[in-house]
PDB file of all heavy atoms in Angstrom:
ATOM      1  N   THR A   5       0.833  12.187  -0.785  1.00 52.00           N
ATOM      2  CA  THR A   5       0.794  13.309   0.099  1.00 52.00           C
ATOM      3  C   THR A   5       0.023  14.371  -0.714  1.00 52.00           C
ATOM      4  O   THR A   5      -0.106  14.254  -1.864  1.00 52.00           O
ATOM      5  CB  THR A   5       2.241  13.814   0.404  1.00 52.00           C
ATOM      6  OG1 THR A   5       2.839  14.121  -0.811  1.00 52.00           O
ATOM      7  CG2 THR A   5       2.949  12.843   1.129  1.00 52.00           C
ATOM      8  N   SER A   6      -0.489  15.320  -0.006  1.00 55.00           N
ATOM      9  CA  SER A   6      -1.347  16.356  -0.572  1.00 55.00           C
ATOM     10  C   SER A   6      -0.627  17.252  -1.545  1.00 55.00           C
ATOM     11  O   SER A   6      -1.126  17.878  -2.364  1.00 55.00           O
ATOM     12  CB  SER A   6      -2.083  17.207   0.473  1.00 55.00           C
ATOM     13  OG  SER A   6      -1.079  17.850   1.250  1.00 55.00           O
ATOM     14  N   GLY A   7       0.709  17.253  -1.415  1.00 56.00           N
ATOM     15  CA  GLY A   7       1.571  18.177  -2.252  1.00 56.00           C
ATOM     16  C   GLY A   7       1.859  17.640  -3.633  1.00 56.00           C
ATOM     17  O   GLY A   7       2.409  18.305  -4.444  1.00 56.00           O
ATOM     18  N   GLY A   8       1.506  16.400  -3.941  1.00 56.00           N
ATOM     19  CA  GLY A   8       1.804  15.942  -5.293  1.00 56.00           C
ATOM     20  C   GLY A   8       2.593  14.653  -5.265  1.00 56.00           C
ATOM     21  O   GLY A   8       2.119  13.577  -4.785  1.00 56.00           O
ATOM     22  N   GLY A   9       3.627  14.563  -5.889  1.00 57.00           N
ATOM     23  CA  GLY A   9       4.205  13.317  -6.359  1.00 57.00           C
ATOM     24  C   GLY A   9       5.013  12.501  -5.483  1.00 57.00           C
ATOM     25  O   GLY A   9       5.827  11.647  -5.886  1.00 57.00           O
ATOM     26  N   CYS A  10       4.975  12.598  -4.106  1.00 54.00           N
ATOM     27  CA  CYS A  10       5.758  11.864  -3.248  1.00 54.00           C
ATOM     28  C   CYS A  10       4.907  10.597  -2.790  1.00 54.00           C
ATOM     29  O   CYS A  10       3.903  10.882  -2.172  1.00 54.00           O
ATOM     30  CB  CYS A  10       6.244  12.581  -2.116  1.00 54.00           C
ATOM     31  SG  CYS A  10       7.340  11.751  -0.967  1.00 54.00           S
ATOM     32  N   LEU A  11       5.478   9.389  -2.967  1.00 54.00           N
ATOM     33  CA  LEU A  11       4.834   8.217  -2.426  1.00 54.00           C
ATOM     34  C   LEU A  11       5.620   7.625  -1.362  1.00 54.00           C
ATOM     35  O   LEU A  11       6.829   7.591  -1.325  1.00 54.00           O
ATOM     36  CB  LEU A  11       4.750   7.126  -3.567  1.00 54.00           C
ATOM     37  CG  LEU A  11       3.833   7.409  -4.778  1.00 54.00           C
ATOM     38  CD1 LEU A  11       4.005   6.310  -5.785  1.00 54.00           C
ATOM     39  CD2 LEU A  11       2.439   7.417  -4.377  1.00 54.00           C
ATOM     40  N   PHE A  12       4.924   7.161  -0.300  1.00 51.00           N
ATOM     41  CA  PHE A  12       5.594   6.435   0.800  1.00 51.00           C
ATOM     42  C   PHE A  12       4.755   5.288   1.298  1.00 51.00           C
ATOM     43  O   PHE A  12       3.568   5.453   1.262  1.00 51.00           O
ATOM     44  CB  PHE A  12       5.886   7.463   1.911  1.00 51.00           C
ATOM     45  CG  PHE A  12       4.794   8.075   2.552  1.00 51.00           C
ATOM     46  CD1 PHE A  12       4.131   7.507   3.690  1.00 51.00           C
ATOM     47  CD2 PHE A  12       4.290   9.235   2.149  1.00 51.00           C
ATOM     48  CE1 PHE A  12       3.061   8.075   4.316  1.00 51.00           C
ATOM     49  CE2 PHE A  12       3.083   9.925   2.715  1.00 51.00           C
ATOM     50  CZ  PHE A  12       2.590   9.273   3.785  1.00 51.00           C
ATOM     51  N   PRO A  13       5.431   4.231   1.624  1.00 55.00           N
ATOM     52  CA  PRO A  13       4.740   3.078   2.066  1.00 55.00           C
ATOM     53  C   PRO A  13       3.957   3.235   3.411  1.00 55.00           C
ATOM     54  O   PRO A  13       4.472   3.896   4.257  1.00 55.00           O
ATOM     55  CB  PRO A  13       5.648   1.922   2.191  1.00 55.00           C
ATOM     56  CG  PRO A  13       7.012   2.673   2.400  1.00 55.00           C
ATOM     57  CD  PRO A  13       6.840   4.012   1.746  1.00 55.00           C
ATOM     58  N   ILE A  14       2.791   2.714   3.511  1.00 54.00           N
ATOM     59  CA  ILE A  14       2.034   2.669   4.733  1.00 54.00           C
ATOM     60  C   ILE A  14       2.403   1.422   5.516  1.00 54.00           C
ATOM     61  O   ILE A  14       2.254   0.327   4.990  1.00 54.00           O
ATOM     62  CB  ILE A  14       0.480   2.672   4.498  1.00 54.00           C
ATOM     63  CG1 ILE A  14       0.089   3.997   3.716  1.00 54.00           C
ATOM     64  CG2 ILE A  14      -0.319   2.615   5.809  1.00 54.00           C
ATOM     65  CD1 ILE A  14      -1.324   4.023   3.385  1.00 54.00           C
ATOM     66  N   GLN A  15       2.876   1.600   6.766  1.00 53.00           N
ATOM     67  CA  GLN A  15       3.362   0.577   7.539  1.00 53.00           C
ATOM     68  C   GLN A  15       2.205  -0.156   8.235  1.00 53.00           C
ATOM     69  O   GLN A  15       1.194   0.485   8.527  1.00 53.00           O
ATOM     70  CB  GLN A  15       4.285   1.058   8.673  1.00 53.00           C
ATOM     71  CG  GLN A  15       5.547   1.736   8.105  1.00 53.00           C
ATOM     72  CD  GLN A  15       6.418   0.824   7.397  1.00 53.00           C
ATOM     73  OE1 GLN A  15       6.548  -0.378   7.737  1.00 53.00           O
ATOM     74  NE2 GLN A  15       7.020   1.291   6.367  1.00 53.00           N
ATOM     75  N   PRO A  16       2.305  -1.564   8.298  1.00 52.00           N
ATOM     76  CA  PRO A  16       1.149  -2.289   8.997  1.00 52.00           C
ATOM     77  C   PRO A  16       1.191  -1.892  10.470  1.00 52.00           C
ATOM     78  O   PRO A  16       2.181  -1.487  11.001  1.00 52.00           O
ATOM     79  CB  PRO A  16       1.619  -3.718   8.819  1.00 52.00           C
ATOM     80  CG  PRO A  16       3.036  -3.644   8.535  1.00 52.00           C
ATOM     81  CD  PRO A  16       3.325  -2.439   7.898  1.00 52.00           C
ATOM     82  N   SER A  17      -0.047  -2.025  11.094  1.00 46.00           N
ATOM     83  CA  SER A  17      -0.162  -1.646  12.489  1.00 46.00           C
ATOM     84  C   SER A  17       0.629  -2.654  13.295  1.00 46.00           C
ATOM     85  O   SER A  17       0.664  -3.753  12.967  1.00 46.00           O
ATOM     86  CB  SER A  17      -1.548  -1.596  12.948  1.00 46.00           C
ATOM     87  OG  SER A  17      -2.161  -2.789  12.685  1.00 46.00           O
ATOM     88  N   ALA A  18       1.197  -2.159  14.422  1.00 47.00           N
ATOM     89  CA  ALA A  18       1.993  -3.042  15.280  1.00 47.00           C
ATOM     90  C   ALA A  18       1.180  -3.165  16.586  1.00 47.00           C
ATOM     91  O   ALA A  18       0.489  -2.363  17.102  1.00 47.00           O
ATOM     92  CB  ALA A  18       3.275  -2.403  15.570  1.00 47.00           C
ATOM     93  N   SER A  19       1.362  -4.391  17.137  1.00 44.00           N
ATOM     94  CA  SER A  19       0.748  -4.708  18.417  1.00 44.00           C
ATOM     95  C   SER A  19       1.797  -4.748  19.523  1.00 44.00           C
ATOM     96  O   SER A  19       2.847  -5.357  19.378  1.00 44.00           O
ATOM     97  CB  SER A  19       0.025  -6.128  18.321  1.00 44.00           C
ATOM     98  OG  SER A  19      -0.434  -6.408  19.612  1.00 44.00           O
ATOM     99  N   TYR A  20       1.522  -3.904  20.558  1.00 45.00           N
ATOM    100  CA  TYR A  20       2.497  -3.876  21.638  1.00 45.00           C
ATOM    101  C   TYR A  20       1.951  -4.496  22.890  1.00 45.00           C
ATOM    102  O   TYR A  20       2.331  -4.157  23.942  1.00 45.00           O
ATOM    103  CB  TYR A  20       2.945  -2.371  21.892  1.00 45.00           C
ATOM    104  CG  TYR A  20       3.509  -1.732  20.720  1.00 45.00           C
ATOM    105  CD1 TYR A  20       2.825  -0.914  19.919  1.00 45.00           C
ATOM    106  CD2 TYR A  20       4.836  -2.073  20.465  1.00 45.00           C
ATOM    107  CE1 TYR A  20       3.535  -0.279  18.798  1.00 45.00           C
ATOM    108  CE2 TYR A  20       5.541  -1.505  19.368  1.00 45.00           C
ATOM    109  CZ  TYR A  20       4.889  -0.621  18.539  1.00 45.00           C
ATOM    110  OH  TYR A  20       5.483  -0.112  17.422  1.00 45.00           O
ATOM    111  N   ALA A  21       1.135  -5.469  22.746  1.00 46.00           N
ATOM    112  CA  ALA A  21       0.506  -6.104  23.924  1.00 46.00           C
ATOM    113  C   ALA A  21       1.536  -7.065  24.535  1.00 46.00           C
ATOM    114  O   ALA A  21       2.503  -7.496  23.975  1.00 46.00           O
ATOM    115  CB  ALA A  21      -0.669  -6.913  23.483  1.00 46.00           C
ATOM    116  N   ASN A  22       1.286  -7.396  25.789  1.00 46.00           N
ATOM    117  CA  ASN A  22       2.241  -8.270  26.547  1.00 46.00           C
ATOM    118  C   ASN A  22       1.932  -9.755  25.962  1.00 46.00           C
ATOM    119  O   ASN A  22       0.865 -10.124  25.716  1.00 46.00           O
ATOM    120  CB  ASN A  22       2.027  -8.374  27.955  1.00 46.00           C
ATOM    121  CG  ASN A  22       2.382  -7.101  28.666  1.00 46.00           C
ATOM    122  OD1 ASN A  22       3.330  -6.387  28.130  1.00 46.00           O
ATOM    123  ND2 ASN A  22       1.811  -6.714  29.803  1.00 46.00           N
ATOM    124  N   ALA A  23       3.060 -10.384  25.652  1.00 48.00           N
ATOM    125  CA  ALA A  23       3.021 -11.768  25.074  1.00 48.00           C
ATOM    126  C   ALA A  23       4.235 -12.502  25.587  1.00 48.00           C
ATOM    127  O   ALA A  23       5.079 -11.950  26.219  1.00 48.00           O
ATOM    128  CB  ALA A  23       3.024 -11.703  23.578  1.00 48.00           C
ATOM    129  N   TRP A  24       4.255 -13.827  25.280  1.00 51.00           N
ATOM    130  CA  TRP A  24       5.421 -14.642  25.690  1.00 51.00           C
ATOM    131  C   TRP A  24       6.617 -14.055  24.993  1.00 51.00           C
ATOM    132  O   TRP A  24       6.593 -13.695  23.868  1.00 51.00           O
ATOM    133  CB  TRP A  24       5.151 -16.099  25.230  1.00 51.00           C
ATOM    134  CG  TRP A  24       4.071 -16.744  26.113  1.00 51.00           C
ATOM    135  CD1 TRP A  24       2.809 -16.968  25.580  1.00 51.00           C
ATOM    136  CD2 TRP A  24       4.162 -17.224  27.345  1.00 51.00           C
ATOM    137  NE1 TRP A  24       2.056 -17.485  26.630  1.00 51.00           N
ATOM    138  CE2 TRP A  24       2.965 -17.798  27.668  1.00 51.00           C
ATOM    139  CE3 TRP A  24       5.195 -17.322  28.237  1.00 51.00           C
ATOM    140  CZ2 TRP A  24       2.589 -18.334  28.867  1.00 51.00           C
ATOM    141  CZ3 TRP A  24       4.993 -17.872  29.425  1.00 51.00           C
ATOM    142  CH2 TRP A  24       3.666 -18.361  29.853  1.00 51.00           C
ATOM    143  N   MET A  25       7.748 -14.030  25.730  1.00 48.00           N
ATOM    144  CA  MET A  25       8.966 -13.602  25.155  1.00 48.00           C
ATOM    145  C   MET A  25       9.546 -14.570  24.279  1.00 48.00           C
ATOM    146  O   MET A  25       9.662 -15.821  24.532  1.00 48.00           O
ATOM    147  CB  MET A  25      10.048 -13.289  26.386  1.00 48.00           C
ATOM    148  CG  MET A  25       9.557 -12.317  27.385  1.00 48.00           C
ATOM    149  SD  MET A  25       9.343 -10.728  26.646  1.00 48.00           S
ATOM    150  CE  MET A  25      11.020 -10.164  26.571  1.00 48.00           C
ATOM    151  N   GLU A  26       9.962 -14.152  23.061  1.00 54.00           N
ATOM    152  CA  GLU A  26      10.653 -15.040  22.121  1.00 54.00           C
ATOM    153  C   GLU A  26      12.110 -15.245  22.584  1.00 54.00           C
ATOM    154  O   GLU A  26      12.696 -14.329  23.331  1.00 54.00           O
ATOM    155  CB  GLU A  26      10.566 -14.391  20.760  1.00 54.00           C
ATOM    156  CG  GLU A  26       9.272 -14.292  20.228  1.00 54.00           C
ATOM    157  CD  GLU A  26       8.585 -15.618  19.787  1.00 54.00           C
ATOM    158  OE1 GLU A  26       9.348 -16.501  19.475  1.00 54.00           O
ATOM    159  OE2 GLU A  26       7.400 -15.735  20.002  1.00 54.00           O
ATOM    160  N   GLU A  27      12.762 -16.292  22.117  1.00 52.00           N
ATOM    161  CA  GLU A  27      14.070 -16.586  22.493  1.00 52.00           C
ATOM    162  C   GLU A  27      15.060 -15.409  21.834  1.00 52.00           C
ATOM    163  O   GLU A  27      14.841 -15.131  20.766  1.00 52.00           O
ATOM    164  CB  GLU A  27      14.557 -17.923  21.941  1.00 52.00           C
ATOM    165  CG  GLU A  27      15.937 -18.285  22.353  1.00 52.00           C
ATOM    166  CD  GLU A  27      16.322 -19.701  21.896  1.00 52.00           C
ATOM    167  OE1 GLU A  27      15.398 -20.438  21.571  1.00 52.00           O
ATOM    168  OE2 GLU A  27      17.412 -19.952  22.009  1.00 52.00           O
ATOM    169  N   GLY A  28      15.976 -14.888  22.628  1.00 53.00           N
ATOM    170  CA  GLY A  28      16.737 -13.851  22.107  1.00 53.00           C
ATOM    171  C   GLY A  28      16.230 -12.428  22.432  1.00 53.00           C
ATOM    172  O   GLY A  28      16.996 -11.448  22.189  1.00 53.00           O
ATOM    173  N   GLU A  29      14.964 -12.302  22.893  1.00 56.00           N
ATOM    174  CA  GLU A  29      14.547 -10.935  23.193  1.00 56.00           C
ATOM    175  C   GLU A  29      15.108 -10.447  24.492  1.00 56.00           C
ATOM    176  O   GLU A  29      15.431 -11.257  25.391  1.00 56.00           O
ATOM    177  CB  GLU A  29      12.956 -10.941  23.384  1.00 56.00           C
ATOM    178  CG  GLU A  29      12.243 -10.997  21.968  1.00 56.00           C
ATOM    179  CD  GLU A  29      10.766 -10.782  22.160  1.00 56.00           C
ATOM    180  OE1 GLU A  29      10.334  -9.866  22.952  1.00 56.00           O
ATOM    181  OE2 GLU A  29      10.022 -11.610  21.550  1.00 56.00           O
ATOM    182  N   ILE A  30      15.216  -9.183  24.699  1.00 60.00           N
ATOM    183  CA  ILE A  30      15.775  -8.619  25.903  1.00 60.00           C
ATOM    184  C   ILE A  30      14.711  -8.332  26.906  1.00 60.00           C
ATOM    185  O   ILE A  30      13.688  -7.717  26.543  1.00 60.00           O
ATOM    186  CB  ILE A  30      16.502  -7.375  25.559  1.00 60.00           C
ATOM    187  CG1 ILE A  30      17.706  -7.650  24.615  1.00 60.00           C
ATOM    188  CG2 ILE A  30      17.059  -6.700  26.784  1.00 60.00           C
ATOM    189  CD1 ILE A  30      18.405  -6.382  24.209  1.00 60.00           C
ATOM    190  N   VAL A  31      14.820  -8.857  28.132  1.00 66.00           N
ATOM    191  CA  VAL A  31      13.824  -8.577  29.123  1.00 66.00           C
ATOM    192  C   VAL A  31      14.143  -7.334  29.741  1.00 66.00           C
ATOM    193  O   VAL A  31      15.338  -7.017  30.135  1.00 66.00           O
ATOM    194  CB  VAL A  31      13.941  -9.730  30.241  1.00 66.00           C
ATOM    195  CG1 VAL A  31      12.988  -9.450  31.381  1.00 66.00           C
ATOM    196  CG2 VAL A  31      13.650 -11.125  29.677  1.00 66.00           C
ATOM    197  N   PRO A  32      13.176  -6.433  29.956  1.00 79.00           N
ATOM    198  CA  PRO A  32      13.470  -5.082  30.552  1.00 79.00           C
ATOM    199  C   PRO A  32      14.012  -5.192  31.995  1.00 79.00           C
ATOM    200  O   PRO A  32      13.447  -5.880  32.738  1.00 79.00           O
ATOM    201  CB  PRO A  32      12.056  -4.365  30.559  1.00 79.00           C
ATOM    202  CG  PRO A  32      11.083  -5.254  29.964  1.00 79.00           C
ATOM    203  CD  PRO A  32      11.754  -6.534  29.594  1.00 79.00           C
ATOM    204  N   SER A  33      15.020  -4.477  32.199  1.00 85.00           N
ATOM    205  CA  SER A  33      15.669  -4.430  33.574  1.00 85.00           C
ATOM    206  C   SER A  33      16.270  -3.092  33.729  1.00 85.00           C
ATOM    207  O   SER A  33      16.735  -2.451  32.806  1.00 85.00           O
ATOM    208  CB  SER A  33      16.638  -5.550  33.825  1.00 85.00           C
ATOM    209  OG  SER A  33      17.789  -5.339  32.961  1.00 85.00           O
ATOM    210  N   LEU A  34      16.339  -2.559  34.985  1.00 91.00           N
ATOM    211  CA  LEU A  34      16.980  -1.381  35.292  1.00 91.00           C
ATOM    212  C   LEU A  34      17.921  -1.559  36.498  1.00 91.00           C
ATOM    213  O   LEU A  34      17.579  -2.232  37.448  1.00 91.00           O
ATOM    214  CB  LEU A  34      15.950  -0.298  35.664  1.00 91.00           C
ATOM    215  CG  LEU A  34      15.004   0.126  34.573  1.00 91.00           C
ATOM    216  CD1 LEU A  34      13.929   1.103  35.154  1.00 91.00           C
ATOM    217  CD2 LEU A  34      15.720   0.818  33.425  1.00 91.00           C
ATOM    218  N   GLU A  35      19.183  -0.966  36.381  1.00 92.00           N
ATOM    219  CA  GLU A  35      20.110  -1.070  37.478  1.00 92.00           C
ATOM    220  C   GLU A  35      20.382   0.267  38.069  1.00 92.00           C
ATOM    221  O   GLU A  35      20.540   1.270  37.284  1.00 92.00           O
ATOM    222  CB  GLU A  35      21.402  -1.600  36.868  1.00 92.00           C
ATOM    223  CG  GLU A  35      21.432  -3.054  36.434  1.00 92.00           C
ATOM    224  CD  GLU A  35      22.756  -3.437  35.912  1.00 92.00           C
ATOM    225  OE1 GLU A  35      23.842  -2.857  36.258  1.00 92.00           O
ATOM    226  OE2 GLU A  35      22.765  -4.473  35.226  1.00 92.00           O
TER     227      GLU A  35
END
Side-chain angles (χ1 to χ4, degrees):
T5 60
S6 61
C10 183
L11 292 174
F12 61 92
I14 297 175
Q15 299 295 325
S17 62
S19 174
Y20 296 103
N22 289 336
W24 292 101
M25 300 295 285
E26 296 290 328
E27 187 176 345
E29 285 189 48
I30 298 174
V31 178
S33 66
L34 295 176
E35 294 180 19

